Amino acid sequence: MKRARRPPRLWPVVLSLMLAMLLTVVPMPETLEDYRPQWVALAIVFWCLALPLRVGVFWAFGAGLALDILTGSLLGEHALSLSVLAYLTGMLRSGILLFPLWQQAFFIWLLLLVERLLSLWVIGATGQPMPPLSYWSSTFGSLLVWPWLFLVLRIIGRRIGSH
């Protein structure tokens, strides 16, 4: 008789998002601050790729609201951009996963550029001052971190989520 497959546990998702939020606000040297990876966005992308039926736009919206509160940004700014990011990741999932990890990083980088563009649109629409050109630098830090983050979260997801 076949055993019913249990749905994956979601606490690794919650734990990784909480850690990503912590990494978003932890102090860094001023010279590296502009290159701080978009930790929450990367975590959302990973879980949308790994658990597409369980993690998606609603998770991204909730994480975005939490990030808005944590960083003191306009309420809904990150919620909107992370929701669109999760939607696009879900739509492009099968294509992204076909490529080797280093090529995936460039697709993820393009998605993160869209996320930054949406945040920039919200900033402009609300009359806030435009950020400097270094606003885009965080996408490069994210590009470099993605392969390592993917491997670590995949190991954690397999080991913790399956028990």
Side-chain angles (χ1 to χ4, degrees):
M1 180 159 188
K2 274 190 172 178
R3 254 172 100 187
R5 186 173 177 167
R6 290 185 349 212
R9 294 184 181 159
L10 293 177
W11 70 271
V13 178
V14 173
L15 189 64
S16 66
L17 286 172
M18 288 173 55
L19 182 61
M21 288 188 197
L22 177 67
L23 289 171
T24 299
V25 296
V26 72
M28 284 182 70
E30 194 173 322
T31 55
L32 296 176
E33 185 66 39
D34 289 340
Y35 297 97
R36 178 191 302 265
Q38 296 166 262
W39 293 110
V40 177
L42 289 172
I44 287 292
V45 167
F46 173 80
W47 291 114
C48 286
L49 291 173
L51 299 173
L53 299 176
R54 305 286 302 227
V55 178
V57 174
F58 291 116
W59 275 88
F61 187 80
L65 283 179
L67 189 60
D68 289 332
I69 293 167
L70 185 67
T71 60
S73 59
L74 182 67
L75 193 62
E77 177 183 336
H78 290 104
L80 171 68
S81 60
L82 290 178
S83 296
V84 171
L85 177 69
Y87 176 77
L88 291 173
T89 302
M91 294 297 292
L92 300 171
R93 178 183 180 272
S94 58
I96 292 171
L97 292 176
L98 285 176
F99 292 99
L101 202 50
W102 66 273
Q103 286 179 338
Q104 282 180 21
F106 286 103
F107 281 101
I108 302 306
W109 179 66
L110 291 173
L111 290 172
L112 293 175
L113 286 175
V114 170
E115 188 271 339
R116 293 274 78 188
L117 190 60
L118 281 169
S119 287
L120 188 65
W121 176 74
V122 170
I123 288 170
T126 57
Q128 299 175 43
M130 284 295 162
L133 194 56
S134 61
Y135 171 80
W136 301 96
S137 301
S138 64
T139 60
F140 294 112
S142 301
L143 171 71
L144 296 174
V145 165
W146 171 255
W148 305 106
L149 182 71
F150 181 88
L151 293 173
V152 167
L153 286 179
R154 186 174 65 180
I155 290 168
I156 290 171
R158 285 184 178 168
R159 288 197 180 166
I160 296 175
S162 63
H163 291 106

